[in-house]
Amino acid sequence: MLRDTTINMKRTKVKEVLQTEPSGQEVLVKGWVRTKRGNKYVTFIAVNDGSTINNIQVVADMTVFSEESLKEVTTGASVSVVGTLVQSQGKGQTVEIQARTVEVLGTADPETYPLQKKGHSLEFLREIAHLRPRTNTFGAVLRVRHAMAFAVHQYFNQKGFFYIHTPIITASDAEGAGEMFRVTTLDPVNPPKTETGEVDFSEDFFGKSTNLTVSGQLEGEVTAMALSEIYTFGPTFRAENSNTSRHLAEFWMIEPEMAFYELEDNMELAEDFLKYLVRYALDNCMDDLQFLNDMYDKELLPRLNFVVENDFQRLTYTEAIEVLKTAKQKFEYKVDWGTDLQSEHERYLVEKHFKKPVILTNYPKDIKSFYMKLNEDGKTVRAMDVLFPGIGEIIGGSQREESYEKLVTRMREMGVPEKEMWWFLDTRRFGTVPHSGFGLGFERLLLFVTGMGNIRDVIPFPRFPKSAEF
Ligand code: 4AD
Ligand code: MG
């Protein structure tokens, strides 16, 4: 509660007010007007302050208030209301506020306020990303996002994992995919050149070419070789030009890394972690999830419950290829052993064939990153991808190659600059141990938990090709 010095009262948030037993007490509520309606005798003002999806109904007796005094109380305006908390006469709410004073803090011109009416399309709301948090939908998404971030930390803290802050500016390409945003202070028009005519990055701020990180994994591995079980949770950046509903150029990733874990342990942790997060949402975000369920996707709550209650299907990449080859469904992309799975293939496995989340393991080495542990067959690596309904890949991870020789061989084969990675290779030179880890895309998790269809709608300010307005 925040004391308002002008009237010497403490503000109560709407969420708390709605849970309070009315006993004639006065309350001070502040927030934004969602709707105003009424007649000659009474005006009803629905006020929301973001603490919950539910509004508090403010009732103004028009024998006490003048039309004029409530003229600026319009949708989108901010108000400060003092009144008596009473049992509600109407349907849909238990308590309401019988207003004594209604002060407008900031007006919102009905002629120009874009959220005058309900029911705007998500596409339209994306164009006013600075105002969309004021809608029920984005309020719900942002509260769930907060709850999931909190649950991530709670989960790992309970398990004795340590939160490690890995750098955002790095000189390495952790995934070896080359989809990086450069970080430089060199003059873009006239950068210093070497004798051979290339840009001379030794003149750059860090004395070398640097970029925004695509993953905190490599630094995570380094710290896991001392603290045993760690996780990172930070922003990651990928300059892949994929304009899809599941890709962002800036997204958040949770990356646990565990010494002494083999692939089996890694899978167990991933499944337990995902179930914990979904259960946390069901236990703590029901108002928001119920709204999203009713509004967008009637299958949302059943789907969340299903994931919590059922074991994930585990199978190898090779087995999955067999399933896909004998599938009756026609795919746009052909499947053959050695090719990467497209999202249509992943979704077929999850949604049509097994009808539950799937963990695929042991992928061909050529379609996975250099750091994954090579299997005895010499052809596959100890990778694991977790595939979810409606999403496809939600987690990517692996057991890591702990042998110095084998890792160097893989780096050479895949053109990973081994000289610059000397510090990473040191982990394999000094006290190397079997270890594993994975990365959970935070926004992909939120897509699943909220049932939203587009990843641009589960992050406040999405970054994607040709878009960084807000
Ligand atoms: O599979 P990825 O590329 O794996 C890694 O980066 C490993 N270093 C993780 C690890 O083992 N520590 O990415 C991990 C996850 C994906 O499964 C996906 O959920 C998400 O990150 N992801 C994206 N989410 C949104 N937009 C993008 N462009 C994404 N790229 C990956
Ligand atoms: Mg992946």
Side-chain angles (χ1 to χ4, degrees):
M1 291 215 289
L2 201 67
R3 187 163 291 279
D4 189 323
T5 51
T6 53
I7 50 176
N8 197 28
M9 267 185 90
K10 281 181 176 170
R11 169 193 172 208
T12 312
K13 290 207 190 163
V14 170
K15 183 177 183 182
E16 195 188 324
V17 169
L18 291 173
Q19 290 164 352
T20 302
E21 196 56 50
S23 58
Q25 69 271 53
E26 266 212 335
V27 290
L28 165 62
V29 160
K30 299 185 183 193
W32 293 267
V33 174
R34 283 296 173 79
T35 56
K36 183 175 82 168
R37 63 192 173 81
N39 51 43
K40 275 202 301 230
Y41 310 106
V42 65
T43 298
F44 299 104
I45 308 161
V47 177
N48 187 282
D49 68 358
S51 58
T52 161
I53 193 156
N54 301 307
N55 304 327
I56 182 81
Q57 172 155 283
V58 173
V59 185
D61 180 346
M62 295 313 282
T63 60
V64 179
F65 286 86
S66 66
E67 286 281 349
E68 183 61 23
S69 72
L70 297 182
K71 209 178 75 202
E72 291 184 327
V73 178
T74 59
T75 300
S78 48
V79 291
S80 175
V81 176
V82 176
T84 313
L85 192 65
V86 297
Q87 210 80 48
S88 179
Q89 310 294 308
K91 289 204 304 263
Q93 66 270 327
T94 52
V95 294
E96 60 191 24
I97 297 173
Q98 205 72 50
R100 180 159 65 81
T101 61
V102 176
E103 183 194 350
V104 174
L105 301 174
T107 59
D109 185 351
E111 295 294 319
T112 51
Y113 182 59
L115 296 173
Q116 207 49 238
K117 293 250 158 8
K118 280 188 179 178
H120 290 297
S121 73
L122 294 169
E123 289 78 12
F124 171 74
L125 292 176
R126 240 169 264 150
E127 290 167 18
I128 50 164
H130 61 304
L131 290 174
R132 65 180 184 169
R134 297 210 199 165
T135 63
N136 280 331
T137 299
F138 285 90
V141 166
L142 294 181
R143 280 184 296 272
V144 173
R145 188 178 167 105
H146 160 80
M148 289 294 88
F150 179 78
V152 165
H153 291 301
Q154 179 154 291
Y155 178 81
F156 285 124
N157 187 55
Q158 281 169 1
K159 283 188 118 53
F161 282 56
F162 297 104
Y163 179 29
I164 301 295
H165 295 103
T166 49
I168 289 171
I169 300 174
T170 70
S172 59
D173 177 1
E175 288 305 297
E179 297 154 335
M180 300 178 300
F181 290 101
R182 273 191 189 295
V183 174
T184 179
T185 53
L186 293 181
D187 180 354
V189 182
N190 201 3
K193 297 276 177 67
T194 61
E195 276 165 22
T196 54
E198 278 150 28
V199 175
D200 184 4
F201 286 105
S202 70
E203 301 262 320
D204 205 346
F205 189 92
F206 297 105
K208 52 168 35 184
S209 167
T210 50
N211 51 272
L212 295 176
T213 188
V214 296
S215 156
Q217 179 190 326
L218 302 188
E219 296 87 351
E221 282 191 49
V222 167
T223 39
M225 291 302 111
L227 301 179
S228 287
E229 294 173 330
I230 64 92
Y231 68 106
T232 73
F233 184 179
T236 45
F237 307 86
R238 295 193 187 176
E240 48 192 340
N241 204 357
S242 33
N243 247 314
T244 80
S245 58
R246 291 171 305 109
H247 289 87
L248 288 166
E250 176 179 306
F251 63 100
W252 288 66
M253 201 180 351
I254 299 129
E255 295 183 273
E257 192 70 35
M258 298 76 63
F260 316 112
Y261 274 50
E262 307 208 353
L263 189 63
E264 292 294 321
D265 309 307
N266 206 21
M267 285 195 273
E268 224 145 273
L269 182 74
E271 182 167 343
D272 186 60
F273 180 44
L274 285 168
K275 284 178 172 169
Y276 178 90
L277 294 174
V278 175
R279 198 177 300 118
Y280 188 94
L282 286 168
D283 289 346
N284 294 278
C285 308
M286 207 25 133
D287 282 356
D288 291 321
L289 294 182
Q290 189 71 55
F291 169 82
L292 293 166
N293 182 88
D294 298 346
M295 189 71 184
Y296 293 103
D297 181 357
K298 298 275 185 293
E299 291 302 306
L300 175 61
L301 291 174
R303 202 161 56 238
L304 297 182
N305 280 307
F306 182 87
V307 162
V308 169
E309 285 157 13
N310 289 279
D311 289 340
F312 296 1
Q313 179 73 41
R314 299 181 187 189
L315 74 159
T316 65
Y317 167 91
T318 304
E319 288 163 344
I321 293 294
E322 283 317 305
V323 170
L324 291 167
K325 279 188 144 172
T326 53
K328 291 209 180 68
Q329 178 161 327
K330 280 270 157 287
F331 297 113
E332 192 182 331
Y333 291 89
K334 207 166 158 265
V335 271
D336 252 321
W337 200 96
T339 58
D340 210 354
L341 297 184
Q342 300 295 323
S343 114
E344 57 172 342
H345 306 132
E346 296 176 343
R347 293 184 61 170
Y348 174 82
L349 292 170
V350 173
E351 289 158 30
K352 300 261 168 58
H353 191 80
F354 293 110
K355 297 191 165 59
K356 50 158 82 169
V358 168
I359 311 184
L360 278 189
T361 57
N362 299 303
Y363 283 72
K365 64 176 180 180
D366 294 333
I367 58 171
K368 289 292 183 188
S369 299
F370 71 94
Y371 51 70
M372 296 189 180
K373 184 176 172 69
L374 195 62
N375 277 316
E376 259 104 67
D377 62 14
K379 293 192 309 195
T380 59
V381 286
R382 310 209 87 200
M384 61 162 216
D385 277 8
V386 181
L387 314 179
F388 255 38
I391 312 286
E393 181 189 334
I394 193 165
I395 277 181
S398 73
Q399 185 168 342
R400 317 307 190 191
E401 183 56 77
E402 83 264 26
S403 148
Y404 178 87
E405 286 74 25
K406 287 185 186 161
L407 185 58
V408 169
T409 305
R410 285 303 289 148
M411 287 169 87
R412 288 181 189 155
E413 282 171 5
M414 298 183 78
V416 178
E418 108 193 41
K419 241 179 85 191
E420 284 166 34
M421 301 280 269
W422 64 273
W423 55 274
F424 182 66
L425 284 166
D426 265 7
T427 55
R428 275 63 170 177
R429 292 176 63 212
F430 307 120
T432 189
V433 299
H435 63 289
S436 302
F438 61 81
L440 167 65
F442 189 51
E443 286 76 19
R444 299 248 177 117
L445 169 77
L446 285 166
L447 276 180
F448 182 72
V449 171
T450 62
M452 299 298 281
N454 193 317
I455 200 161
R456 297 171 189 180
D457 296 334
V458 295
I459 187 166
F461 303 101
R463 295 286 175 265
F464 52 93
K466 301 280 178 286
S467 178
E469 175 80 9
F470 308 93

